[in-house]
Amino acid sequence: MLQSWLHDWRRPRDRRCSFWGTRPMAEALATLLRPRYLDLLVSSPALPLPVGSLNPEPEPLERFGRRFPLAPGRRLEEYGAFYVGGSEGSPDPDLSRLLLGWAPGQPFFSCCPDTGRTQDEGARAGRLRACRRYLVERARDARVVGLLAGTLGVARHREALAHLRNLTQAAGKRSYVLALGRPTPPKLANFPEMDVFVLLACPLGALSPQPSGSFFRPVLTPCELEAACNPAWPPPGLAPHLTHYEDLLPGSPFHVSLPPPESELWDTPDVSLITGELRPPPTWKSSNDPGCSALTQRPQLELTESSPAASFLSSRSWQGLQPCLGQTPVTGAVSGRRGIAIAYEDEGSN
């Protein structure tokens, strides 16, 4: 099957190819392909280096949770891809990340080691990009966002968490930080108030695109939340797909600052592609603004809802025990029943 793939890829001497797999197998395959491809890259996982280690070689390009030893003057967008890995019938999160971020105009093939079958992944990459655009629309429609702290030991995770909270506040959304470990459908189903979840994790720990109905609410990446909340972010087709949250922070070449409050980008009309409704422009409020309070007390113990969380509570059929203040008559304390639930003292032998 590998020979047929090489035959189908025309003019192999003019092609640039990048492929990855397990290290021993990748080196053996690279030895086989180097006579046919002048410019061949072998990718490796971007694992953190030990503390105090010295790397005399130049730092390779790190994208999609992997390192690519590019030659000077080369760009990753110029290369086709050949992926070796995964198993038959089970989703591969590593392959999904690569398909989302790889250049759409370049060929992308995969090979399953269990069966030896190769296939063109162009159609699957298109479906993943369409799913990503749908998730961005869901994030734009969301009013309450749950930020899942999936990692506490990776550098700059606190700064990334503060950046995501600033994004949601600027877009007029409420955000809540949740530390739940690895997200699972039963865990996230305990928070029905959330419209979407955003997983803050390293590239190798991020979730792969989930099938429909797996989670109660969709789970997004920080890059998708950035595309939904930052009006200065490039439009679909031009924006890169970033798998590491550190690429969104200041100091990265992909960082895009939020426009100032007086910018016209915040007032641009925006229509939801899911509901067809016009989205209201976000209102900037500082944390000291008294108008940010979720509940405002009125006379006669009436509460007016001014936040998405309170609005969700009012739509629930059961909202907890009602205090009924001033409606319950005052009585003296009396002695209750004695015994256990299966047989109280006043119930007799029967």
Side-chain angles (χ1 to χ4, degrees):
M1 297 299 294
L2 179 61
Q3 295 295 332
S4 63
W5 170 77
L6 292 174
H7 176 72
D8 293 339
W9 206 338
R10 301 176 182 177
R11 297 190 303 167
R13 301 282 296 184
D14 298 336
R15 291 284 187 179
R16 302 185 179 98
C17 177
S18 174
F19 74 94
W20 40 89
T22 59
R23 196 65 186 178
M25 180 268 298
E27 292 296 342
L29 187 56
T31 304
L32 175 64
L33 295 179
R34 280 196 175 96
R36 300 177 60 90
Y37 294 89
L38 297 178
D39 195 352
L40 185 68
L41 297 181
V42 180
S43 172
S44 60
L47 301 177
L49 297 176
V51 179
S53 62
L54 298 178
N55 186 14
E57 300 179 358
E59 189 68 20
L61 175 68
E62 184 174 331
R63 296 286 300 277
F64 322 122
R66 307 190 70 88
R67 293 190 176 98
F68 299 87
L70 284 174
R74 296 295 191 187
R75 299 171 62 248
L76 191 61
E77 291 76 10
E78 302 173 352
Y79 289 79
F82 185 63
Y83 180 86
V84 182
S87 58
E88 189 72 17
S90 61
D92 191 345
D94 196 11
L95 177 59
S96 300
R97 287 191 297 268
L98 291 164
L99 289 175
L100 280 171
W102 207 260
Q106 295 294 341
F108 198 113
F109 289 83
S110 67
C111 176
C112 178
D114 297 337
T115 61
R117 183 173 61 91
T118 61
Q119 62 179 355
D120 187 356
E121 298 288 351
R124 182 183 176 188
R127 292 192 298 268
L128 289 176
R129 295 189 187 99
C131 179
R132 177 173 179 260
R133 288 192 289 268
Y134 169 76
L135 293 178
V136 172
E137 285 295 316
R138 287 291 300 267
R140 289 172 178 168
D141 291 339
R143 302 181 63 189
V144 183
V145 180
L147 303 178
L148 303 177
T151 178
L152 299 177
V154 182
R156 305 184 71 181
H157 74 277
R158 293 181 180 272
E159 185 179 353
L161 191 60
H163 175 72
L164 296 182
R165 298 190 66 178
N166 186 33
L167 270 178
T168 55
Q169 182 182 6
K173 308 177 187 298
R174 290 289 181 126
S175 63
Y176 298 90
V177 180
L178 306 174
L180 306 176
R182 182 168 182 82
T184 60
K187 288 182 182 179
L188 301 188
N190 293 319
F191 303 93
E193 298 86 355
M194 307 299 169
D195 295 324
V196 295
F197 293 94
V198 179
L199 178 60
L200 183 67
C202 64
L204 298 180
L207 295 177
S208 61
Q210 300 296 320
S212 177
S214 177
F215 282 92
F216 182 67
R217 293 285 189 264
V219 181
L220 286 69
T221 63
C223 179
E224 292 162 350
L225 183 66
E226 183 87 24
C229 298
N230 190 350
W233 189 256
L238 299 178
H241 177 71
L242 307 176
T243 56
H244 199 344
Y245 61 79
E246 192 173 355
D247 294 332
L248 303 173
L249 302 180
S252 169
F254 301 103
H255 173 70
V256 178
S257 301
L258 282 172
E262 61 275 6
S263 174
E264 297 180 354
L265 293 176
W266 297 106
D267 300 329
T268 303
D270 189 15
V271 178
S272 172
L273 299 180
I274 298 177
T275 63
E277 299 178 356
L278 182 66
R279 299 190 185 100
T283 56
W284 283 68
K285 292 183 179 180
S286 62
S287 58
N288 299 326
D289 190 349
C292 291
S293 59
L295 298 176
T296 305
Q297 190 170 1
R298 285 184 176 181
Q300 301 179 359
L301 300 177
E302 294 182 1
L303 298 178
T304 180
E305 302 155 2
S306 57
S307 76
S311 177
F312 179 84
L313 178 63
S314 65
S315 64
R316 300 184 65 170
S317 59
W318 189 79
Q319 303 177 8
L321 298 177
Q322 301 297 328
C324 299
L325 298 179
Q327 303 177 17
T328 305
V330 180
T331 59
V334 296
S335 178
R337 307 175 71 179
R338 296 178 178 272
I340 60 177
I342 193 174
Y344 290 105
E345 295 179 358
D346 59 346
E347 290 182 342
S349 59
N350 295 330

